[in-house]
Amino acid sequence: QVQLQESGPGLVKPSETLSLTCTVSGGSISSYYWSWIRQPPGKGLEWIGYIYDSGSSNYNPSLKSRVTISVDTSKNQFSLKLSSVTAADTAVYYCARVKAGGPRRGMDVWGQGTTVTVSS
Amino acid sequence: DIVMTQSPDSLAVSLGERATINCKSSQSVLYSSNNKDYLAWYQQKPGQPPKLLIYWASTRESGVPDRFSASGSGTDFTLTISSLQAEDVAVYYCQQYYSTPYTFGQGTKLEIK
């Protein structure tokens, strides 16, 4: 079955750019929407944005000026870049697949998550 | 943004008893053109990612035990676990996908009494 795996640095300095990649295995990245979600320590879930295999994307306005989500269909990967990070961006970052049929669906496959700490 | 508010924040239920979690949205998530409520429920156990339980407000995801059920429409929704099992200890979240930014409730922590 489809599995997702996040990868990237676990420690990022303030003001720098957080970069994460989600690798999709066991299935194709094509014809699905793919999301990033984050969870600060001990807190709830925040949707960051999604991307389609065509590159069409939608971001949370609260992060929009700092977020870029991209897709590389040849590698079956999609990526997250978050610029000008602060301690408030410290969180577990999850990638997830949106259920088939469009962006307005629940998210049925999740990666295990990767912890990113913003600290000097 | 649509604000999702869950109640209670935490809940302790005896094994075998019923657990009920509520979720209220600040505006309707019912899409009139297809009569579907754009709401999902997730279960998150410690150290694990969320797991999709329910979508379209009441459709159980494949593989989810039938003791999990959900109901509601418009702005008020309920997740029910009919007979609590030890493995159901988790935090439960509702999420609206009616409009972006998609938003989650604050979570309800379910424990064994």
Side-chain angles (χ1 to χ4, degrees):
Chain A
Q1 73 274 23
V2 175
Q3 292 184 309
L4 308 182
Q5 180 66 59
E6 304 90 349
S7 59
L11 181 64
V12 181
K13 290 182 169 54
S15 80
E16 295 190 345
T17 296
L18 176 161
S19 295
L20 297 174
T21 296
C22 183
T23 300
V24 179
S25 60
S28 175
I29 202 168
S30 297
S31 304
Y32 283 94
Y33 286 81
W34 304 90
S35 282
W36 287 98
I37 303 98
R38 70 180 183 178
Q39 186 170 36
K43 295 189 178 181
L45 301 161
E46 179 180 31
W47 176 78
I48 298 171
Y50 66 64
I51 193 163
Y52 191 55
D53 63 358
S54 64
S56 171
S57 60
N58 191 313
Y59 303 143
N60 192 321
S62 69
L63 300 168
K64 189 172 185 177
S65 63
R66 299 193 291 131
V67 169
T68 302
I69 300 176
S70 58
V71 63
D72 186 337
T73 55
S74 68
K75 294 182 178 178
N76 240 29
Q77 294 177 334
F78 62 105
S79 298
L80 169 70
K81 290 188 185 300
L82 182 65
S83 64
S84 305
V85 298
T86 69
D89 296 310
T90 294
V92 176
Y93 285 77
Y94 295 101
C95 58
R97 186 183 77 174
V98 179
K99 283 183 70 69
R104 298 167 74 199
R105 301 284 188 275
M107 292 172 280
D108 63 347
V109 181
W110 292 65
Q112 283 300 306
T114 188
T115 299
V116 178
T117 302
V118 178
S119 175
S120 55
Chain B
D1 298 6
I2 298 177
V3 177
M4 307 300 291
T5 304
Q6 293 180 226
S7 61
D9 289 334
S10 62
L11 181 62
V13 174
S14 300
L15 289 172
E17 295 300 304
R18 179 185 300 261
T20 301
I21 298 169
N22 300 301
C23 174
K24 188 174 184 69
S25 57
S26 61
Q27 63 189 75
S28 176
V29 298
L30 174 65
Y31 193 43
S32 56
S33 66
N34 60 8
N35 202 37
K36 286 183 181 292
D37 287 282
Y38 283 56
L39 184 111
W41 288 96
Y42 298 87
Q43 174 194 64
Q44 186 178 32
K45 296 181 180 180
Q48 296 186 19
K51 173 187 175 183
L52 179 65
L53 297 176
I54 302 285
Y55 57 99
W56 298 135
S58 61
T59 302
R60 203 178 301 116
E61 176 73 343
S62 176
V64 173
D66 61 7
R67 63 180 180 275
F68 290 91
S69 64
S71 62
S73 184
T75 61
D76 292 281
F77 302 90
T78 299
L79 174 70
T80 300
I81 307 171
S82 61
S83 176
L84 190 70
Q85 306 298 303
E87 61 264 33
D88 300 335
V89 168
V91 178
Y92 292 83
Y93 295 93
C94 60
Q95 179 226 347
Q96 66 81 19
Y97 46 90
Y98 180 86
S99 66
T100 58
Y102 301 151
T103 48
F104 295 85
Q106 79 277 17
T108 294
K109 186 174 185 178
L110 178 58
E111 299 173 312
I112 304 294
K113 184 187 292 183

